[in-house]
Amino acid sequence: RRVLEQAGLGPVRMYPGLQEIDCGRLDGMPLDQVQRFHPELWQANQRQADCEFRWPGGESYSEFRCRCLTAVGTLTRKHPHGRIALVTHAGVISQLLGFVTDASPAQWGRYRVGNTALTEIDWEGSRGRLVRFDDRHHLQAATSASGVSAGTG
């Protein structure tokens, strides 16, 4: 947070509406255990067909999308002609892009991004337009100087 603010990219604020989906009682459980102990739920989630699917005690994909859109709507109203950088989770990005492209909230796998990837959406009112998706070129630039290899999706 401090580094971002010192770089002129602040102030940094936390927005609970941009947190990853609430997986309820299974939140934090390793995926192999979810698959082993909850195979029916795992298969239902993998089908990506039910907007009202939810992990026990968690939120549905429809509720998740609504939460994400409410948070972005709040931010865009606060900064109507500004630029906002959001650092968030792949699920949130997937839901925002699903909304922009009219994909079902259940289709979470359609727009999966890599870690630290850049995705840019231009919001105008209550609609968005995809500008850039899953851009990882900054990783190449950062690692080429150090000699470390970086994946590019």
Side-chain angles (χ1 to χ4, degrees):
R1 172 181 263 174
R2 186 176 48 195
V3 171
L4 292 173
E5 289 176 351
Q6 288 174 348
L9 298 174
V12 175
R13 294 195 177 35
M14 303 294 286
Y15 281 89
L18 297 174
Q19 292 176 346
E20 188 59 273
I21 190 167
D22 178 359
C23 293
R25 293 188 295 278
L26 277 58
D27 200 30
M29 181 181 284
L31 287 181
D32 64 326
Q33 289 183 21
V34 174
Q35 293 167 351
R36 185 174 37 221
F37 298 122
H38 305 281
E40 316 80 31
L41 286 172
W42 179 257
Q43 288 303 318
N45 181 55
Q46 290 297 106
R47 283 192 292 274
Q48 298 183 43
D50 181 5
C51 296
E52 299 312 315
F53 173 85
R54 73 180 69 235
W55 298 104
E59 67 187 327
S60 71
Y61 284 111
S62 292
E63 292 165 342
F64 180 36
R65 178 168 293 176
C66 183
R67 174 170 56 82
C68 295
L69 291 172
T70 298
V72 168
T74 299
L75 288 169
T76 58
R77 282 189 301 278
K78 286 183 178 179
H79 307 279
H81 302 291
R83 296 189 79 158
I84 304 167
L86 302 178
V87 179
T88 190
H89 300 274
V92 173
I93 295 167
S94 176
Q95 288 301 323
L96 295 174
L97 292 177
F99 172 76
V100 167
T101 62
D102 294 319
S104 164
Q107 294 177 333
W108 52 264
R110 192 176 209 173
Y111 295 106
R112 296 303 286 180
V113 294
N115 290 338
T116 75
L118 303 174
T119 296
E120 184 177 354
I121 303 172
D122 184 14
W123 286 94
E124 188 73 32
S126 63
R127 294 299 306 170
R129 179 182 61 84
L130 178 60
V131 176
R132 176 171 41 165
F133 174 68
D134 198 27
D135 182 346
R136 301 182 203 179
H137 287 94
H138 61 286
L139 296 177
Q140 290 174 331
T143 57
S144 64
S146 67
V148 176
S149 153
T152 58

